[in-house]
Amino acid sequence: MYNARPVLAGIAIVAVLFSAPFWVGRLGRDYKDAGIVPPKDEKNCIEDTELMRSRHMQLLNEWRDEALRGENRSYTAADGRIWTVSLQNTCLSCHANYREFCERCHEASSVYPYCWTCHVIPVEIKK
Amino acid sequence: MLSSLLLVLLIGAAAWAGAQAGFYLLLGAVLPYSAVLVFIAGLVRRMIYWAGSPVPFTIPVTGGQEESLGFIRQAKTDCPSGASGVWARMFFEVAFFRSLFRNTSAEIQEDCLLTKGPRSIYSSSKWLWAFALLFHYSILLVFLRHFRFFMEPTPSCIRFLESLDGIMELGSPRFFLSAGLMLAALFFLLGRRFFNERLRYISLPGDYFPLLLLIGIAGTGICLRYFDKADTTAIKVFIMSLTHFAPVSPQGLSPLFFTHLALVCALLLYFPFSKLTHMVGIFFSPTRNAPNNSRRVRRVNPWNPPDQYFTYAEYEDLYREAMAEAGLPLEKQPDGT
């Protein structure tokens, strides 16, 4: 082998760098569950739970466009119930515990919605 | 081209069907583990193979003035004569694709007024450089952003990259610019091979396949985030279990996720046997890593046969008797006097 030392260093760098997904996880915690606390006094979300889990941000986007561009502030869910289109007053009336619901799940997936620079989280008003 | 496209589609379709049919052990554990193993082992094998190939002489293919007399200014990074210059040249090459920046295109002008006939014209051509750079930085960013699936808690540097990437705050989930830019750059790199007939002529399946594979990966990734939304939380649980070597059942994850994963695995499996090894190859490139000091440092070709010397003393030892008979002058007489 020519230039053995730099080559070995290069091999070590490749091995360490590309096995990173397998060892960086050990620097922190293991992750089994986001540990969110769903609202207790309600049973169902606006739409099916599966759907909400993966598509709630799209629903919010739709709501925002409907309310602000279409001036339509009522939303009919798949099961026929009618909801007022409002981030603060609808979502967060049931999910009043923002910290342990929305935020906990978001932190787990490294999502930091910027909505709260303008919208208000109701809990914070009470405090 | 068509065969590469079919191959990519076939891999994707097979993964989709496999996920539907429930081959979770194969798609969710065996394939990813073996792909990572083959990727790393394959790259290491390549590096050892390259390190074993001798370089016959320094290759000072330079883009600048070499070190000379004191009053002639040397191009220190383009024609380095020492280690620090070589590091600088390598850095600019890897980080900014400096040699691609000098890319030129050659055209033939049919009737030139000066030569009264055809004439070749060379002009600077920066498109390849720009889109290659765009692609590489986008995929780097995309790769780093995926570490949110590998780490809990996600470190703040990754969060910072995400906020930069989503700085336009378009839509919800926020649109990450790197995803779109990567796809755009890939389509440019593919289109280049389509529409430039000289390039099309020299393009092989080994050129089309990685591009189409990457387009497939980026496409499925974008779908997973923006269109056929996957359950990101469940995917993170699955990925973390995978990297902790205790895979949980990925039952219920969307088939599109497995298509994405299988395409990535195909890329990892293919990588060490393809032109994509230029990722490590660049560091072995003698035109980048050899200082131009051939006038100062003697370099011996490693495969030269060992030198054979036949000194005069040995010559005389061999032919002493005959030389004495012929009356030639000798340093040592045959009788030892």
Side-chain angles (χ1 to χ4, degrees):
Chain A
M1 200 194 284
Y2 298 95
N3 300 321
R5 266 207 296 165
V7 171
L8 288 177
I11 288 176
I13 290 172
V14 163
V16 169
L17 226 55
F18 290 104
S19 60
F22 291 91
W23 55 263
V24 287
R26 290 168 193 271
L27 302 179
R29 291 189 292 275
D30 196 358
Y31 175 76
K32 295 250 156 56
D33 188 2
I36 51 172
V37 183
K40 291 190 189 63
D41 35 357
E42 293 285 342
K43 278 218 165 51
N44 296 309
C45 197
I46 292 178
E47 297 283 359
D48 184 46
T49 313
E50 288 290 308
L51 209 82
M52 286 309 286
R53 191 173 296 157
S54 51
R55 291 183 178 265
H56 61 275
M57 48 315 239
Q58 287 181 327
L59 180 72
L60 282 172
N61 203 24
E62 223 173 89
W63 276 23
R64 180 166 57 178
D65 290 352
E66 275 295 300
L68 300 184
R69 297 188 185 152
E71 294 209 16
N72 172 16
R73 287 187 194 245
S74 69
Y75 172 81
T76 314
D79 59 3
R81 289 183 297 170
I82 293 176
W83 297 95
T84 314
V85 169
S86 172
L87 173 61
Q88 286 157 226
N89 301 334
T90 309
C91 299
L92 294 182
S93 68
C94 289
H95 300 295
N97 196 347
Y98 181 80
R99 296 260 166 280
E100 262 143 34
F101 187 75
C102 309
E103 194 173 63
R104 186 167 288 176
C105 191
H106 286 163
E107 265 174 13
S109 302
S110 179
V111 186
Y112 296 87
Y114 53 88
C115 318
W116 315 111
T117 48
C118 300
H119 293 271
V120 186
I121 304 169
V123 184
E124 289 188 338
I125 305 172
K126 283 184 211 146
K127 272 180 193 165
Chain B
M1 159 64 206
L2 207 62
S3 55
S4 313
L5 182 63
L6 285 178
L7 191 55
V8 173
L9 290 178
L10 194 71
I11 296 170
W16 179 285
Q20 294 282 25
F23 291 114
Y24 290 128
L25 187 66
L26 179 68
L27 288 171
V30 176
L31 190 60
Y33 283 137
S34 46
V36 171
L37 213 62
V38 167
F39 175 73
I40 295 177
L43 278 187
V44 169
R45 196 195 67 127
R46 269 282 171 151
M47 292 171 80
I48 290 173
Y49 171 73
W50 277 330
S53 326
V55 177
F57 38 76
T58 48
I59 307 180
V61 182
T62 61
Q65 171 63 47
E66 74 172 303
E67 188 182 21
S68 180
L69 299 172
F71 59 90
I72 299 176
R73 189 146 58 130
Q74 180 196 3
K76 284 226 166 60
T77 46
D78 280 329
C79 191
S81 47
S84 61
V86 167
W87 279 90
R89 176 167 67 178
M90 192 59 99
F91 171 76
F92 284 117
E93 185 64 33
V94 171
F96 304 112
F97 304 174
R98 189 174 168 82
S99 59
L100 205 54
F101 188 73
R102 282 196 282 265
N103 189 31
T104 54
S105 69
E107 301 290 335
I108 293 187
Q109 189 185 7
E110 277 310 332
D111 43 356
C112 170
L113 289 175
L114 282 173
T115 60
K116 303 268 189 299
R119 180 174 77 127
S120 48
I121 295 179
Y122 299 91
S123 51
S124 160
S125 167
K126 303 264 184 272
W127 290 104
L128 179 60
W129 170 78
F131 279 93
L133 205 61
L134 187 64
F135 164 72
H136 282 84
Y137 274 104
S138 301
I139 198 173
L140 176 66
L141 203 55
V142 170
F143 175 66
L144 290 177
R145 274 204 283 101
H146 276 74
F147 275 77
R148 74 172 163 141
F149 291 111
F150 304 137
M151 300 179 84
E152 172 67 26
T154 311
S156 49
C157 51
I158 305 279
R159 250 200 275 163
F160 173 68
L161 289 180
E162 283 178 341
S163 65
L164 266 190
D165 207 353
I167 200 160
M168 299 306 286
E169 300 190 342
L170 288 171
S172 168
R174 206 178 313 178
F175 180 63
F176 283 146
L177 299 174
S178 57
L181 291 178
M182 176 177 158
L183 208 56
L186 280 169
F187 275 113
F188 172 85
L189 295 174
L190 187 65
R192 204 173 67 96
R193 294 191 182 274
F194 271 152
F195 298 116
N196 182 333
E197 61 268 19
R198 271 167 290 170
L199 207 57
R200 190 167 61 223
Y201 184 71
I202 58 167
S203 294
L204 295 171
D207 298 315
Y208 290 120
F209 181 66
L211 282 174
L212 291 167
L213 196 58
L214 284 163
I215 288 176
I217 290 170
T220 49
I222 287 173
C223 275
L224 279 170
R225 184 173 159 82
Y226 303 100
F227 303 110
D228 186 16
K229 294 263 341 138
D231 182 353
T232 317
T233 335
I235 288 177
K236 181 158 182 178
V237 171
F238 170 64
I239 301 267
M240 288 291 274
S241 75
L242 208 59
T243 56
H244 280 75
F245 300 107
V248 297
S249 163
Q251 200 115 31
L253 295 187
S254 101
L256 190 61
F257 166 68
F258 286 102
T259 313
H260 185 62
L261 188 64
L263 288 174
V264 173
C265 291
L267 180 69
L268 292 181
L269 287 170
Y270 175 68
F271 203 102
F273 310 100
S274 69
K275 67 173 195 172
L276 301 178
T277 43
H278 69 267
M279 181 177 71
V280 291
I282 180 75
F283 297 102
F284 286 88
S285 173
T287 65
R288 300 294 111 192
N289 69 13
N292 186 4
N293 56 5
S294 53
R295 296 189 179 185
R296 204 167 357 111
V297 181
R298 179 173 154 77
R299 192 188 152 80
V300 180
N301 180 0
W303 73 64
N304 278 349
D307 288 325
Q308 289 182 351
Y309 301 106
F310 192 47
T311 58
Y312 179 73
E314 284 163 351
Y315 176 88
E316 211 187 81
D317 283 348
L318 195 63
Y319 299 113
R320 184 164 293 113
E321 307 293 325
M323 287 170 84
E325 249 170 60
L328 292 172
L330 285 170
E331 288 186 349
K332 242 198 267 168
Q333 295 306 320
D335 46 26
T337 51

